[in-house]
Amino acid sequence: MLLILLVYSGFQREFVDDTLITFVYARNFVEHGFPYWHPDLPPVDGFTSAGHMLALAALHATGLGLVAANSILMFGAGALIIWLYLGAVRGLSLAAQIGGGLVIVLNSSLAAWTGAGLDGIPYAAVFFATYLALERAISLGRFTPSLTLALCALALMRPEGQIIGLGILAFWIALLVMRRVGRGGLGWLPVVLVLILGIFAVRMTIYGHPLPNTFYAKSGDRMAELEAGLYYLWGWLVTGAGLLSIAIPLAVLRGSGGWLRLLFLLGNIALVAVAGGDSHIAFRFMLPVLPLIAMDVAWLLNRVETRRIAAVLLLVPFYLALQGQPLLAGRPPLAALQASLAAIGKGEWPMREIGHASNAARDIAAAKELSFLFPPDTPIAATDVGALAYGLDQPVIDALGLNNPDLAHLPKLDGEQNRWGLPRVALLAEAEVPVFHFWFPSSHAWSASGIIYGEESCSVPARMFATFVDLGGQALADNYALVSVPASDARSHPLNLVVHQRELVTLSLRVPEIEVTTEVRDFAEICAESIAEWGS
């Protein structure tokens, strides 16, 4: 199991853009002593997981590259899950332990997020540790130091961890009132409460709000969010490990005594539903309950009267087939192993920085080239900002608001299902931000002028770009021009920008061969049909 996990964690080339956002904060924390989005911009907490960012910064401060640091962190968190799981199922048959272990390591969500590098695996590890520590604390009748440490780590890892932590504290006080634990059972509980309240206080003092800025950027109408959350959970049930979650209530009915696992499962489901699910694929928010499901799968397998090895063998193909929907559940585990082994064979594992074959590498390379086109103090607004901020020297203005408190806290419209953040392109255009970059740099295998003059078709990436151009409204159409920077030795395709007309002379002097057109509205209208489909 550890070998499979090691292979997964070695394939650190498929970063989601949000992982690079966390990298930016961790790098700035090491270089400037504070987790800035950019030193020239006001402080903002655009990282959802303070624990992930701090762990990356600590490893990076030793001289490790951020990719290598993240690879070590993902493997370490996954190994902790497996170690805790094996300790929890000690005493069951070997076949049962293997069967439950396969539920963890052959999970498509685990395979995807070990390589995608965000906070899902570390959060799942801390969540599982918290469950086991609470279970032990209840059996001992006292609030143990291990439960204290687990709850502190959970609170640092994600805002949901703070909510869960407060819920567990209330639950423990209820046990005290009902005399289910000893009178001296309060123990270290005040330490956890002080930490959680301290996190809220620090955010209020520095940032002016109690939750991460990303929460405000991504939160829309609550009923629309609930609908999205229920749809997300349905997808998990039919394409992820969700169907196997029936093992938890089934085991309780069969006498496992795992009522606490059932409470953790239902509590996480409720939190995910209220939060509106996750914008990313591969069910990152359901990873925390995966080890709990594995525990009861192992318990049920241990109760099977027939040969247990046969039962395990029957489980494997079913489980793999269940996760064969990569668009929703992430890269299927066997495909992830194949891709990881191929990367290892090419010498790209584990300590090399982002491989040249990845989209993230192409995005960062394009960003570094873009930094030479404009003066260092030129703000560049963008909708997909992680790779750009990682590679650019210029301050990046997040048009979706995740790293921009001024936009994140603007009022939301009724019925607005705000999954990625709401693009406020028109407001930024009215403020005359000098440059806009839309979509990902690696997707610009087209030129705006070529589409306008009928030399190229409006490809899917161009339609995404045009969506945001259309959102710029009249201010963008009147005052900006579409600029295509030709391909270069470091970039095999053009780089398309929306540039304020007052910047064009300076840009033309730096790059004489750029293609410029002021027909911004025409470009958006050519892709109007696709824009309507995207909006729906």
Side-chain angles (χ1 to χ4, degrees), residues 49 51-52 55 73 76-82 84 119-134 146-158 160-162 164-165 168 264 287-289 291-292:
S49 175
H52 185 207
L73 186 60
L80 177 60
I81 290 174
I82 293 172
L84 292 172
D119 57 8
I121 309 299
Y123 177 60
V126 175
F127 183 96
F128 188 35
T130 301
Y131 160 77
L132 293 174
L134 178 60
S146 61
L147 179 58
T148 304
L149 289 173
L151 283 171
C152 289
L154 190 69
L156 286 170
M157 193 54 65
R158 286 191 62 86
E160 294 93 335
Q162 295 147 31
I164 293 170
I168 289 175
F264 267 63
L287 271 170
V289 300
L292 306 182

Side-chain angles (χ1 to χ4, degrees), residues 81-221:
I81 290 174
I82 293 172
W83 179 69
L84 292 172
Y85 161 77
L86 291 175
V89 298
R90 187 186 299 116
L92 301 183
S93 70
L94 179 61
Q97 292 182 39
I98 292 173
L102 291 177
V103 170
I104 298 174
V105 298
L106 293 183
N107 178 260
S108 58
S109 298
L110 182 114
W113 286 109
T114 305
L118 212 48
D119 57 8
I121 309 299
Y123 177 60
V126 175
F127 183 96
F128 188 35
T130 301
Y131 160 77
L132 293 174
L134 178 60
E135 187 177 54
R136 177 167 173 76
I138 291 173
S139 68
L140 294 174
R142 55 188 175 85
F143 203 94
T144 60
S146 61
L147 179 58
T148 304
L149 289 173
L151 283 171
C152 289
L154 190 69
L156 286 170
M157 193 54 65
R158 286 191 62 86
E160 294 93 335
Q162 295 147 31
I163 296 170
I164 293 170
L166 291 174
I168 289 175
L169 296 186
F171 174 72
W172 191 265
I173 292 172
L175 292 179
L176 280 170
V177 172
M178 294 185 295
R179 298 183 179 178
R180 298 291 182 88
V181 295
R183 291 184 179 179
L186 198 62
W188 294 83
L189 184 149
V191 173
V192 179
L193 182 60
V194 168
L195 174 68
I196 294 175
L197 295 179
I199 291 172
F200 290 134
V202 167
R203 284 206 190 102
M204 286 296 298
T205 302
I206 298 176
Y207 305 112
H209 43 77
L211 294 172
N213 191 71
T214 50
F215 172 83
Y216 302 97
K218 290 185 176 182
S219 295
D221 178 81

Side-chain angles (χ1 to χ4, degrees), residues 34 86 214 340 349 365 401 467 473 476 507:
F34 187 85
L86 291 175
T214 50
S340 301
W349 178 91
T467 300
L476 199 75
L507 182 59

Side-chain angles (χ1 to χ4, degrees), residues 435-481:
V435 184
F436 285 91
H437 182 285
F438 298 130
W439 210 238
F440 298 100
S442 60
S443 66
H444 288 203
W446 50 276
S447 71
S449 58
I451 290 173
I452 289 174
Y453 300 124
E455 299 169 358
E456 302 178 45
S457 61
C458 192
S459 62
V460 172
R463 294 166 190 167
M464 304 301 185
F465 190 99
T467 300
F468 297 111
V469 170
D470 186 62
L471 291 173
Q474 199 62 41
L476 199 75
D478 291 344
N479 301 317
Y480 288 80

Side-chain angles (χ1 to χ4, degrees), residues 38 370-380 389 392-396:
H38 190 280
L370 178 59
S371 68
F372 293 108
L373 300 180
F374 301 97
D377 59 347
T378 304
I380 298 176
L392 278 172
D393 296 325
Q394 290 84 349
V396 175

Side-chain angles (χ1 to χ4, degrees), residues 30 39 65 81 91 143 174 185 269 272 286 325 368 427 438 449 483 536:
V30 173
I81 290 174
F143 203 94
I269 286 174
V272 170
M286 300 311 296
Q325 303 289 332
K368 289 180 177 179
L427 289 176
F438 298 130
S449 58
V483 173
S536 66

